[in-house]
Each structure stands twice: as C-alpha cells, then as structure tokens.
Amino acid sequence: MGLIVEEGLDDDILVPPPNFSLVEDGIFRSSFPQPSNFGFLQTLNLRSIIYLCPEPYPQENLEFLRSKNIRLFQFGIEGKTELPASIPKDTVMEALKVLIDVRNHPVLIHCKRGKHRTGCLVGCLRKLQNWCLSSVFEEYQRFAGAKSRATDLRFIEMFDVLCLRQCLYSIIYQYQGYGSKRRLLYREENLQKPQVTSV
C-alpha cells in the first residue's frame, strides 16, 4: 500500500524545464522542454512557443503542442559560435514581433539550454522596455552563468530598438482587463504574417 501512495505522489510532481523563469506577465523562458516537463507546461496555459533553434522540433513535443492547441513559431538561430555575425538581427526582429503580440500570450521562449539565444531575445525585449543596459546584462548573465558570451552582450548592446519603429507604428496599446497594465497588440490591417510551423 505504501508503494502505491508514493507512486501517486510522484505523478503529481510538476517539473519545470531547466532555466525556467517568468520574464513578464504572459511571457516565460526556459531550456528545451522534455516530456517530463509537459505536465508543468500544461499549467501555464500556453498559446505559443517561440523556438530559437534550426533543428526540427521532436515529434513527441509536436504531439504535445497539437494536443494542447499551442502554436509553434520557429526561428532557426545557430548556436555554439562566438562569431560576431552569428546572431541574425532580422531573425531576432521577427521573433520580437511575435513576442510582443499579446494574441500569442502566454508564450514560452526557448532554445537548447535557455541561455544564449533565449538570453539575446529577452535582452532585446528589455531594451524595448527601456531597461538600463547594466540590468539587461545582469539578467543575461544570471541565466548564462559561466558560459556568458561577449558576442551576445555586444549584440544586445548594439541592437537598435528604433529599427522596430516601423513595427511599433502598427501597434496599439490595448487594455485587457488587468487593471492598468498596458499590453501590445498588432492592428489587423498591418499585421505581417510570421512563419509558423504547422503542428
């Protein structure tokens, strides 16, 4: 009898992916979710996942997304490189457009380990939110740890949020019933369709 009770308890344990964290209301970040994390992800009521790797999404993960009606946005950014040109600015810009569209929230951003590529995208979001650079860097380094990359920090520093201005002209502030919190939403007529992987 004792063993059955213990097994039941194990079934109720929710395991978040490594490097999981809340970024902002409706925005989460993590490393690559494994099947053992699916129960936890289910509690987030995700609408979307932003996946920042070029490799195909595993079939088991695709089936989970399909069963929960979660959209997958894939932006293939190569990892494991220290080259200054390794992070494509245009790809990060497209990922940011998906990220700030409240219709995709709640959204989870992830790459392999939730450190470099995810850290760059979150860092660019923070610049858009007018965070000071030292706070942006501190957040990046908290997740990257000893594997912090100077090229990533340089990319975040040089990323021009003003180049999002065209996109921002087509965005309205919409109150979603959460008190006085402002949310960003594209106007339908100006929405550019991002590349979405069918699940």
Side-chain angles (χ1 to χ4, degrees):
M1 279 295 217
L3 288 175
I4 295 170
V5 172
E6 286 174 15
E7 284 176 15
L9 287 173
D10 286 346
D11 291 342
D12 294 312
I13 294 174
L14 299 175
V15 182
N19 255 348
F20 176 82
S21 184
L22 174 70
V23 174
E24 195 69 41
D25 186 28
I27 302 175
F28 305 93
R29 63 179 290 168
S30 76
S31 66
F32 202 105
Q34 301 301 316
S36 60
N37 308 130
F38 291 169
F40 175 82
L41 294 183
Q42 198 170 332
T43 67
L44 303 178
N45 298 313
L46 295 174
R47 279 192 198 160
S48 311
I49 284 182
I50 296 176
Y51 173 48
L52 302 173
C53 302
E55 295 81 14
Y57 220 55
Q59 191 59 39
E60 198 169 4
N61 291 57
L62 287 173
E63 286 168 14
F64 169 74
L65 298 190
R66 194 176 297 116
S67 71
K68 303 302 173 198
N69 201 25
I70 299 169
R71 294 174 78 192
L72 176 67
F73 296 91
Q74 183 170 1
F75 299 93
I77 301 172
E78 292 293 336
K80 295 185 180 177
T81 179
E82 279 286 348
L83 298 173
S86 64
I87 306 163
K89 185 182 82 168
D90 292 344
T91 304
V92 171
M93 188 72 66
E94 290 306 308
L96 268 175
K97 289 177 187 178
V98 171
L99 183 58
I100 63 176
D101 188 342
V102 72
R103 291 173 301 176
N104 298 320
H105 294 181
V107 60
L108 172 70
I109 311 161
H110 78 80
C111 50
K112 289 281 190 220
R113 293 188 167 71
K115 295 181 178 182
H116 305 110
R117 289 167 279 195
T118 299
C120 285
L121 182 58
V122 171
C124 292
L125 171 69
R126 296 311 193 193
K127 285 190 73 176
L128 189 61
Q129 294 175 316
N130 292 318
W131 278 34
C132 69
L133 205 53
S134 60
S135 294
V136 175
F137 284 0
E138 190 277 328
E139 182 180 41
Y140 170 90
Q141 288 165 333
R142 185 163 12 104
F143 288 91
K147 301 207 171 194
S148 177
R149 291 180 180 161
T151 51
D152 289 350
L153 297 174
R154 195 158 44 252
F155 174 82
I156 295 168
E157 182 177 7
M158 301 307 291
F159 187 80
D160 183 9
V161 291
L162 295 178
C163 61
L164 260 179
R165 185 169 294 191
Q166 257 187 328
C167 171
L168 293 175
Y169 283 147
S170 67
I171 291 177
I172 59 172
Y173 287 108
Q174 181 163 334
Y175 292 85
Q176 298 287 336
Y178 299 111
S180 62
K181 290 184 181 177
R182 289 190 301 182
R183 307 299 296 275
L184 297 175
L185 179 65
Y186 285 112
R187 284 193 186 135
E188 284 293 335
E189 66 271 19
N190 294 324
L191 179 64
Q192 291 182 349
K193 301 270 191 237
Q195 227 171 342
V196 183
T197 303
S198 297
V199 291

